[in-house]
Amino acid sequence: MTKYGSFPGARPRRMRTTPAMRRMVAETRLHPADLILPAFVREGISEPVEIGAMPGVVQHTRDTLKKAAVEALEAGVSGIMLFGVPEESKKDGLGTAGTDPDGILQVALRDVRAEVGDDLIVMSDLCLDETTDHGHCGVLDAEGRVDNDATLERYAEMAQVQADAGAHVVGPSGMMDGQVGVIRDALDQVGHEDVAILAYAVKYSSAFFGPFREAVGSSLKGDRKTYQQDPANIRESLRELALDLEEGADMVMVKPAGPYLDILARVSDESDVPVAAYQISGEYAMIEAAAERGWIDRDKAIMESLTGIKRAGANMILTYWATEVARQL
């Protein structure tokens, strides 16, 4: 007599017999609208500059950035997150290029909004690390430590100029205590109630950020362990999440994505707002490097990594493969 609750009656492989069957019963599906393209724009260049540690990714000129935004839109990508790279001579201790209306990020925001309007969500990185001569995400005190509350004042100014320049969404990534509430107040004070905040609620101090430092021309001295989170901790992440939600975050992010899928799943369970995950530069570089050496199948590894992030609970994924993958989907 056949036993339907166990072998030989129960055969889960029946649901894997053909590509059509596997597609029909798939529990997790990637869609172009899930994807957000991070993009770098560099001041003072006439041609795109290849990023050595991130094959296929460039520091854009203003013109090529506009083209990349249009390509992302046409592929069905939902958003683009902009990072500005100022000329070295314009960096200083306060990151004043970050609040200059004519700073490279603000100029790029205006460029992209003029090109895509409201059809593509234009996001801006709200942090000082690209614009400070010491490379930290905040201003320093007399002893060289990152001054949390003085940094919040700078973030408030940054939020206002980025919103004025056309950002639909600002992404405070510096991991300063209280940053979401201060930014929300600053935006509302100048009539930008509709500008959303994508809070980097969970951002770990990670070795996988390495290639990003090249991408933004970082001047970092030391590390960011006093403000980015300890990879050993989970409760800390959930507390950061709760605080950001209380302060008014419209969306929250986990960064990096791949090494922290357990955290992403917990955040997804706890959050009552959309959850993003950032597949960061080191995650990208590892797959590209292994594929270049013939060790893995590049396209399959990309899709598998993104599916894992989506399965863990991400509503949105920031990935440097956004446009490419959207076209395939």
Side-chain angles (χ1 to χ4, degrees), residues 279 287 291 296-307 321:
Q279 185 181 52
I287 290 177
I296 59 173
D297 183 308
R298 176 184 180 275
D299 292 349
K300 290 180 180 178
I302 291 170
M303 287 298 188
E304 185 175 337
S305 67
L306 291 171
T307 299
W321 291 301

CSV table of all heavy atoms in Angstrom, one decimal, residues 279 287 291 296-307 321:
chain,number,residue,atom,x,y,z
A,279,GLN,N,23.5,45.1,-1.7
A,279,GLN,CA,24.5,44.1,-2.1
A,279,GLN,C,25.7,44.9,-2.4
A,279,GLN,O,25.8,45.5,-3.5
A,279,GLN,CB,24.0,43.3,-3.3
A,279,GLN,CG,24.9,42.2,-3.7
A,279,GLN,CD,24.4,41.4,-4.9
A,279,GLN,OE1,24.1,42.0,-5.9
A,279,GLN,NE2,24.3,40.1,-4.8
A,287,ILE,N,32.0,37.9,-6.8
A,287,ILE,CA,31.4,37.2,-7.8
A,287,ILE,C,32.1,37.5,-9.2
A,287,ILE,O,32.4,36.6,-10.0
A,287,ILE,CB,29.9,37.5,-7.9
A,287,ILE,CG1,29.2,36.8,-6.7
A,287,ILE,CG2,29.3,36.9,-9.2
A,287,ILE,CD1,27.7,37.1,-6.6
A,291,ALA,N,34.2,34.7,-11.3
A,291,ALA,CA,33.7,34.4,-12.6
A,291,ALA,C,34.8,34.6,-13.7
A,291,ALA,O,34.9,33.8,-14.6
A,291,ALA,CB,32.5,35.2,-12.9
A,296,ILE,N,33.2,30.1,-11.2
A,296,ILE,CA,31.8,30.0,-11.0
A,296,ILE,C,31.1,30.5,-12.3
A,296,ILE,O,31.7,31.2,-13.1
A,296,ILE,CB,31.2,30.8,-9.8
A,296,ILE,CG1,31.6,32.3,-10.0
A,296,ILE,CG2,31.8,30.3,-8.5
A,296,ILE,CD1,31.0,33.2,-8.9
A,297,ASP,N,29.8,30.2,-12.4
A,297,ASP,CA,29.0,30.7,-13.5
A,297,ASP,C,28.5,32.1,-13.1
A,297,ASP,O,27.7,32.2,-12.2
A,297,ASP,CB,27.9,29.7,-13.8
A,297,ASP,CG,27.0,30.2,-15.0
A,297,ASP,OD1,26.6,31.3,-15.0
A,297,ASP,OD2,26.8,29.3,-15.9
A,298,ARG,N,29.0,33.1,-13.8
A,298,ARG,CA,28.7,34.5,-13.3
A,298,ARG,C,27.2,34.7,-13.3
A,298,ARG,O,26.7,35.2,-12.3
A,298,ARG,CB,29.4,35.5,-14.3
A,298,ARG,CG,29.0,36.9,-14.0
A,298,ARG,CD,29.7,37.8,-15.1
A,298,ARG,NE,29.4,39.2,-14.8
A,298,ARG,CZ,28.3,39.9,-15.2
A,298,ARG,NH1,27.4,39.2,-15.9
A,298,ARG,NH2,28.1,41.1,-14.9
A,299,ASP,N,26.5,34.5,-14.4
A,299,ASP,CA,25.1,34.9,-14.4
A,299,ASP,C,24.3,34.1,-13.4
A,299,ASP,O,23.4,34.7,-12.7
A,299,ASP,CB,24.5,34.7,-15.8
A,299,ASP,CG,25.1,35.6,-16.8
A,299,ASP,OD1,25.8,36.6,-16.4
A,299,ASP,OD2,24.9,35.4,-18.1
A,300,LYS,N,24.5,32.8,-13.2
A,300,LYS,CA,23.8,32.1,-12.3
A,300,LYS,C,24.1,32.5,-10.8
A,300,LYS,O,23.2,32.5,-10.0
A,300,LYS,CB,24.1,30.6,-12.5
A,300,LYS,CG,23.5,30.0,-13.7
A,300,LYS,CD,23.8,28.5,-13.9
A,300,LYS,CE,23.3,27.9,-15.2
A,300,LYS,NZ,23.6,26.5,-15.3
A,301,ALA,N,25.4,32.8,-10.6
A,301,ALA,CA,25.7,33.3,-9.2
A,301,ALA,C,25.1,34.6,-8.9
A,301,ALA,O,24.6,34.8,-7.7
A,301,ALA,CB,27.3,33.4,-9.1
A,302,ILE,N,25.0,35.5,-9.9
A,302,ILE,CA,24.3,36.8,-9.6
A,302,ILE,C,22.9,36.6,-9.3
A,302,ILE,O,22.4,37.1,-8.3
A,302,ILE,CB,24.4,37.7,-10.9
A,302,ILE,CG1,25.9,38.1,-11.1
A,302,ILE,CG2,23.5,38.9,-10.7
A,302,ILE,CD1,26.1,38.8,-12.4
A,303,MET,N,22.2,35.8,-10.1
A,303,MET,CA,20.8,35.5,-9.8
A,303,MET,C,20.5,34.8,-8.5
A,303,MET,O,19.6,35.1,-7.7
A,303,MET,CB,20.1,34.7,-11.0
A,303,MET,CG,20.0,35.5,-12.2
A,303,MET,SD,18.8,36.9,-12.0
A,303,MET,CE,18.6,37.4,-13.7
A,304,GLU,N,21.4,33.9,-8.2
A,304,GLU,CA,21.2,33.1,-6.9
A,304,GLU,C,21.4,34.0,-5.7
A,304,GLU,O,20.7,34.0,-4.7
A,304,GLU,CB,22.2,32.0,-6.9
A,304,GLU,CG,22.1,31.1,-5.7
A,304,GLU,CD,23.0,29.8,-5.7
A,304,GLU,OE1,23.4,29.5,-6.8
A,304,GLU,OE2,23.2,29.3,-4.6
A,305,SER,N,22.4,34.9,-5.8
A,305,SER,CA,22.7,35.8,-4.7
A,305,SER,C,21.5,36.8,-4.5
A,305,SER,O,21.1,37.1,-3.3
A,305,SER,CB,24.0,36.6,-4.9
A,305,SER,OG,23.9,37.5,-6.0
A,306,LEU,N,21.0,37.3,-5.6
A,306,LEU,CA,19.9,38.2,-5.5
A,306,LEU,C,18.6,37.5,-5.0
A,306,LEU,O,17.8,38.1,-4.2
A,306,LEU,CB,19.6,38.9,-6.8
A,306,LEU,CG,20.7,39.9,-7.3
A,306,LEU,CD1,20.4,40.3,-8.7
A,306,LEU,CD2,20.8,41.1,-6.3
A,307,THR,N,18.4,36.3,-5.4
A,307,THR,CA,17.2,35.5,-5.0
A,307,THR,C,17.3,35.3,-3.5
A,307,THR,O,16.3,35.4,-2.7
A,307,THR,CB,17.1,34.2,-5.7
A,307,THR,OG1,16.9,34.5,-7.1
A,307,THR,CG2,15.9,33.4,-5.2
A,321,TRP,N,24.4,45.4,-10.3
A,321,TRP,CA,23.9,44.6,-11.5
A,321,TRP,C,22.4,45.0,-11.8
A,321,TRP,O,21.8,44.3,-12.6
A,321,TRP,CB,24.0,43.1,-11.2
A,321,TRP,CG,25.3,42.6,-11.2
A,321,TRP,CD1,26.3,42.6,-12.2
A,321,TRP,CD2,25.9,41.8,-10.1
A,321,TRP,NE1,27.4,42.0,-11.7
A,321,TRP,CE2,27.2,41.5,-10.5
A,321,TRP,CE3,25.5,41.4,-8.8
A,321,TRP,CZ2,28.1,40.8,-9.7
A,321,TRP,CZ3,26.3,40.7,-8.0
A,321,TRP,CH2,27.6,40.4,-8.4
